């Protein structure tokens, strides 16, 4: 791609940051050029965020329906999975899967709830009630 052909499509992040792209100058040498965005990439990222929002909404509804514990909501909100949460908390994956059950979650010791709350950067009360700061 030539330097003058580097896309400059405005994106949501375009006001905050720019992306470094490699392009060729008039002499055919590779140089770096800043890009505000690219329509194809913007569309793909927007779609990915829409999918994440749907997953969060579905998780919240499962918790409200009593099908899952609030952990599911916070996992989705944090764009995590069980393996990553296990790494952060030190719990085994099978333990977290058990803690995703509402009946098991409501009987968890405060010490365990505190470990989850620290990972999600909320209080234990907020964890139990699905409260997110800044939301």
């Amino acid at each position: 791609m030539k330097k003058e052909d580097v896309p400059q499509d405005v994106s949501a992040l375009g006001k905050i940051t720019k992306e470094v792209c490699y392009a060729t100058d008039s002499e055919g040498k590779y140089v770096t050029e800043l890009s505000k965005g690219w329509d194809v990439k913007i569309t793909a990222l927007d779609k990915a965020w829409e999918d994440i929002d749907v997953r969060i909404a579905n998780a919240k509804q499962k918790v409200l329906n009593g099908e899952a514990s609030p952990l599911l909501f916070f996992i989705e909100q944090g764009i995590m999975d069980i393996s990553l949460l296990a790494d952060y908390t030190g719990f085994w994956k099978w333990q977290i899967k058990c803690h995703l059950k509402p009946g098991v979650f409501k009987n968890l010791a405060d010490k365990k709830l505190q470990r989850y709350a620290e990972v999600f950067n909320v209080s234990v009360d907020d964890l139990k009630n699905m409260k997110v700061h800044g939301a």
Side-chain angles (χ1 to χ4, degrees):
M1 173 183 326
K2 294 182 181 176
K3 188 174 178 176
E4 58 272 6
D5 295 334
V6 172
Q8 297 297 332
D9 303 324
V10 180
S11 69
L13 294 176
K15 297 175 184 175
I16 301 169
T17 186
K18 292 183 181 180
E19 183 175 8
V20 176
C21 297
Y22 291 95
T24 54
D25 62 13
S26 58
E27 297 174 7
K29 295 181 182 178
Y30 282 99
V31 295
T32 57
E33 181 69 19
L34 294 177
S35 172
K36 293 179 185 174
W38 182 33
D39 278 338
V40 174
K41 189 173 184 177
I42 294 166
T43 302
L45 287 172
D46 287 347
K47 178 63 177 139
W49 282 113
E50 286 173 19
D51 291 347
I52 290 167
D53 288 341
V54 167
R55 288 180 63 136
I56 293 168
N58 289 342
K60 185 174 186 175
Q61 194 57 51
K62 283 184 178 181
V63 175
L64 294 174
N65 291 346
E67 300 168 20
S69 77
L71 282 183
L72 180 63
F73 170 77
F74 282 100
I75 289 170
E76 294 297 346
Q77 181 79 23
I79 313 172
M80 302 174 103
D81 61 16
I82 291 174
S83 295
L84 185 59
L85 186 57
D87 289 342
Y88 280 125
T89 60
F91 294 128
W92 295 96
K93 290 188 276 187
W94 67 266
Q95 290 175 302
I96 294 172
K97 288 177 184 177
C98 286
H99 299 165
L100 286 169
K101 297 174 184 174
V104 175
F105 180 82
K106 71 179 180 180
N107 293 318
L108 284 178
D110 286 342
K111 188 174 178 181
K112 289 183 179 181
L113 291 172
Q114 184 61 42
R115 283 166 68 183
Y116 283 123
E118 288 172 6
V119 169
F120 297 124
N121 198 28
V122 296
S123 69
V124 171
D125 185 58
D126 290 347
L127 177 70
K128 290 178 179 179
N129 297 298
M130 276 193 318
K131 292 181 186 171
V132 181
H133 299 288

